[in-house]
Amino acid sequence: MEWDFERCYRAVDSRDPRFDGWFYTGVFSTGIYCRPSCPAVTPKRENVRFFPSAAAAQRAGLRACRRCRPDAAPGSPDWNTRADVVGRAMRLIGDGVVDREGVPGLAGRLGYTERHLHRMLVAEVGAGPLALARAQRAQTARILIETTGLGLAEIAFAAGFGSVRQFNETIREVYAVSPSELRAGRTRQRGGTSPNPDPSGTVGAINLRLAYRPPLHADALLEFLALRAVPGVEKVTGGTYRRGLRLPHGPATVALTPLPGHVAAELRLADVRDLAPAVARCRRLLDLDADPDAVDGLLGADPALAEAVAKEPGVRVPRAVDGFEMAVRAIVGQQISVAGARTTLARLVAAASATPDEEDGAGEEDGAPEPALRPFPSAAQILALPDSAFGMPASRRATIRAVAGAVAAGDLDLDPGTDRAELVRRLVALPGIGPWTAGYVALRALGDPDVFLATDLGVRHGAAALGLPSTPTTLDAYAERWRPWRSYAVIRLWRTQ
């Protein structure tokens, strides 16, 4: 969005939740920062300054408001839609790359020096990579403090802090209370019940709310995911989506239930250090940081889509938790039905399920919501399978092996911070991958908001049902008016066919 004081102040004065995550309100008379929808009395203009990120507000010496929880606001849609270096960096930081690999690792992935990357982030976001990662660590620590019975020292290291002292100082600076006071306050809100009172000391389930900007068409998301759910990996029942995850420090399971105003998430992790990347991947999967007003405003202006947008506002792009998984799904889905692809993928998962990589997963502990759910096989597991496990033509099997080999060797990066144009070029250079497959991967694995699959049969059928051109060339030309949200148009056309 354009930074304009009057526009931002009007959003704060009207407590408009649509702007949550777009910017943060710093109130220097009280020393706190809030989300625009904070229910507190509107501060005076002379006491207000607006920040592009929570980290920038913290860098200015402000603490998070304990009433509106600005650190838990939806993320800025910019970081999902932008394909430039700053957007890619923000996605990688959100996935925990700085905590795992440090700033040198982040800079190396992006192909820039640490100094230049720092300059770009400060100019755009108001804070460098260390400050952004620190803000994320503080939020992760708060979630663990309030939802688990882990000791505070354990939480400090699980959240990515280098020492208990650093952890204590950061929590005091960000929330103006000590970690023990933060836990005590949450216990009082629960009516005296401590979080996770399990005498065994295990973490158990971590329950939290994932915010989004309304409207959210939850039924469209769940229908899409249910139709393509691979047995053994994911399942949709009773309005809840469950699946296995592969995270940096081990496997996990997640249950996501869309509710009014938030998505309830239940996470079971093998290692609590994976909380931040797990949350980032769940948000990415459900496209929770999208700006539905901007998307629906543009698509709804087209008479062909106006009725569908008015009837189903807030349709999102179902994305992915694992780029390699989505690449395999796209290849398997070439020229076969969704049901056929699901059957083939289920066989592939079953064949790979007995490998040592997947033993003793987080989803197998007592009380897990779905013990059978496992992460999708890794590139190494796929490479280790015999030809008989694939159940598909030899050419398609060779394509999957080529992608798995490139990922395993580090020659193909399918992470959310990947350069989108470069990924498409690398994919189409592999045997058996054409524009449709590369576009599908960009749409779902990378979350590119402006992919249009003009040759897709479902897209063409949907266009024909709306009276639009249905040949690939003419339809592609017509879709130019839907930029930069053509990926959302694809989802709506699929729903129309």
Side-chain angles (χ1 to χ4, degrees), residues 209-245:
R209 295 183 173 197
L210 305 181
Y212 60 79
R213 291 176 191 82
L216 171 71
H217 199 295
D219 289 345
L221 274 172
L222 294 178
E223 288 168 13
F224 186 97
L225 295 171
L227 184 63
R228 294 160 178 80
V230 178
V233 174
E234 55 192 337
K235 186 176 184 180
V236 178
T237 54
T240 296
Y241 172 77
R242 295 181 171 88
R243 71 159 293 139
L245 295 177

Side-chain angles (χ1 to χ4, degrees), residues 178-190:
S178 68
S180 57
E181 289 171 324
L182 196 59
R183 172 164 282 175
R186 185 59 171 172
T187 300
R188 285 193 296 271
Q189 291 178 22
R190 292 169 176 263

